[in-house]
Amino acid sequence: MADSFNLLTEPWIPVIYTDGSVADISIRNIFAEAHDIQGLACDLPTVNVAVFRTLLAIFYRSVSEDMLKDQKYWAKLWKESTLPLDAITNYLDSVSGRFDLLDPEKPFLQTPGLHNSKGEWKDLRTIIADSSKEDALFAQSDPDLELSYAKAAQWLIHTQNFDYSGIKTGAVGDSRVNDGKGYPIGISWLGWLGCTVIKGKDFKETLLFNYAPPESLSRNLNSDLPIWEEPPLTSAVRKNARVNGQIGLLTWPQRRILLHNNGTGIDKVLVCNGDPVDYLSQSNNETMTPWRYSEAQSKKAKRPIYMPKTLNPGEALWRGLNSLLPPDQTTNYVTNDKDRLPITKPPHTITKLARRSGKPLPEDFRITVDVTSMIYGGKQASYDTIVHDTLTFPGLLALIDEGKKLRDIAELAVNRAVAAASELGKFAANVRRCEINGKDSSSTAANKARAVAYSLIDPRFREWLSKLSISQTDAQQQLQEWTDWLRNTMRKEGKRIAGEASPAAWAGRKIRISKDKEIVYSIGLVELWFYKGLCDALPRRPIEGE
């Protein structure tokens, strides 16, 4: 019967190596081999994020003291071929007793002795991220099938980070329990975020790129701690538990959990309420998400409140590019009393890394971000779906002053792409209005056309942005080429839509647009509107001498 599974030495983290091979490895090995590892390869993007943040907490605790002592230490690590293994090994040795998944007194990320008044356990569906919908996030063929210790560790970390809200099992010893139930305290912390991980060419670079401690770390080096450096959890809420910085948030125990070991694997689990986190007050602590100004919450709190910004389902990350970059100093602000506040704020990790462009990173360094959000069902009491996207752009874009002109070009390219798709949608709707007996409504036709437009634009824009020059002259040329491509592509699609119209649509259809006015909608007329709209939204290159 297995009575120990230490995550420092047992293989449990799925990784893909730079040569394309895959394997499960231990925590010690992932740091030792980081330069040969491309990234994590868990079942879901959310599991990758949760496991990565756990490893990042280890990295923070291993190197932060040296980082604070030596301002050039990050650059030194960047130039080294491997991570500082002596520092990491020393740290892991000091906390090795807290990483045993099955330890009876201090099991990793769990609460020893956790139980409810009836002595019941729950099946594994409690921690495996699935849903009642047909497109379930993760389908387990048999809910009674046990999990290996390796898989159980992954889902344990995922649950602490992304668990849904709703009524939980009432733990004995938790004063909040009423009638055997733990009433909702909200989703876990990462559920609020557009979890942003900056990707390097290997796992060593990825760890370095996401090391961007808030200013508070220098003051809180000995108080901003991961949960495994705190006393073992009990079922009660920790007295005076508060977030002291990014490290605390990386491992915050929003739930009290205990895995049931049957000797060969994990077959049951208990998930109860843990320590709530004040999700309205973490913008100075959490470095790995974009933020948005909340007018409603600010009025309620009588102070500026920034909420984490999640990915929008069905909308590509590049359409919200401005949320990853510094705000425009003149237009992207709101006025709160006498203060001007940015509407959005980028992840601190991006702005911190951008400042390293040119020294020690190359001036034309490219940032690749991997952003993940969990979308929940009604009352946030179930998982719905996962939104995940990746984008590459010049690091110069994220510099507040030096990158402003290039940022204007990139955001203009986004706006023109959105305008192009909009014009095609309006044209499709107008073509439908020309029809006497069309099969789609005008709004349906517009939605279909916009979807087609974005399917054409999306891969092209990603490539365009990834290759955007940091030279203003070259970037302007690239913008014009992008604009010309949009115009030509939308015209081709417009011709296709017009070509599919019935003969009657060319003759036209009389539509009353007001009490005293009627217009004959015909393909010829709406094409004129369409071409004018494209010309206004997508200007041509000025002719020399004009």
Side-chain angles (χ1 to χ4, degrees), residues 49 135 212 477 527:
V49 169
D135 56 342
Q477 172 68 23
E527 274 188 329

Side-chain angles (χ1 to χ4, degrees), residues 497-534:
I497 291 171
E500 293 174 352
S502 69
W506 290 86
R509 175 187 175 204
K510 188 180 293 186
I511 296 178
R512 183 175 296 279
I513 62 172
S514 67
K515 183 178 179 181
D516 303 317
K517 188 174 182 180
E518 292 181 334
I519 289 182
V520 177
Y521 274 70
S522 67
I523 297 297
L525 177 62
V526 299
E527 274 188 329
L528 287 176
W529 294 345
F530 175 52
Y531 294 146
K532 182 181 184 305
L534 286 181

Side-chain angles (χ1 to χ4, degrees), residues 5-22:
F5 190 86
N6 195 297
L7 303 184
L8 299 187
T9 55
E10 296 286 350
W12 67 278
I13 308 170
V15 299
I16 179 168
Y17 286 89
T18 53
D19 65 2
S21 61
V22 295

Side-chain angles (χ1 to χ4, degrees), residues 255-326:
R255 299 289 182 257
R256 298 292 188 264
I257 303 175
L258 187 61
L259 303 174
H260 183 268
N261 175 24
N262 67 6
T264 60
I266 301 300
D267 59 351
K268 298 173 185 175
V269 67
L270 271 183
V271 178
C272 308
N273 283 330
D275 300 332
V277 62
D278 182 2
Y279 62 90
L280 299 178
S281 303
Q282 304 307 327
S283 61
N284 291 327
N285 294 319
E286 179 57 63
T287 64
M288 300 173 68
T289 186
W291 300 86
R292 60 177 178 83
Y293 175 75
S294 172
E295 184 176 2
Q297 295 290 350
S298 297
K299 286 182 178 179
K300 188 175 179 181
K302 293 182 170 53
R303 61 184 175 89
I305 295 292
Y306 283 86
M307 298 280 290
K309 187 177 186 301
T310 60
L311 275 177
N312 294 324
E315 183 176 300
L317 177 59
W318 59 263
R319 291 176 62 185
L321 178 63
N322 62 349
S323 69
L324 300 175
L325 305 174

Side-chain angles (χ1 to χ4, degrees), residues 2 6 28 34 61 109 150 196 199 279 282 294 314 324 368 378 390 393 407 429 439 447 458 489 513:
N6 195 297
R28 289 190 187 272
R61 291 297 289 162
L109 282 191
T196 304
K199 307 288 279 189
Y279 62 90
Q282 304 307 327
S294 172
L324 300 175
T368 296
T390 300
F393 53 86
R407 199 159 53 244
K439 61 181 180 179
N447 290 337
D458 185 80
T489 302
I513 62 172

Side-chain angles (χ1 to χ4, degrees), residues 31 59 62-63 66-67 73 77 80 82-90 204 208:
F31 285 105
F59 187 64
S62 301
V63 304
D66 289 327
M67 291 280 194
Y73 190 58
L77 294 183
E80 294 290 336
T82 63
L83 290 172
L85 293 182
D86 287 345
I88 294 171
T89 297
N90 290 339
K204 168 186 172 282
L208 281 171

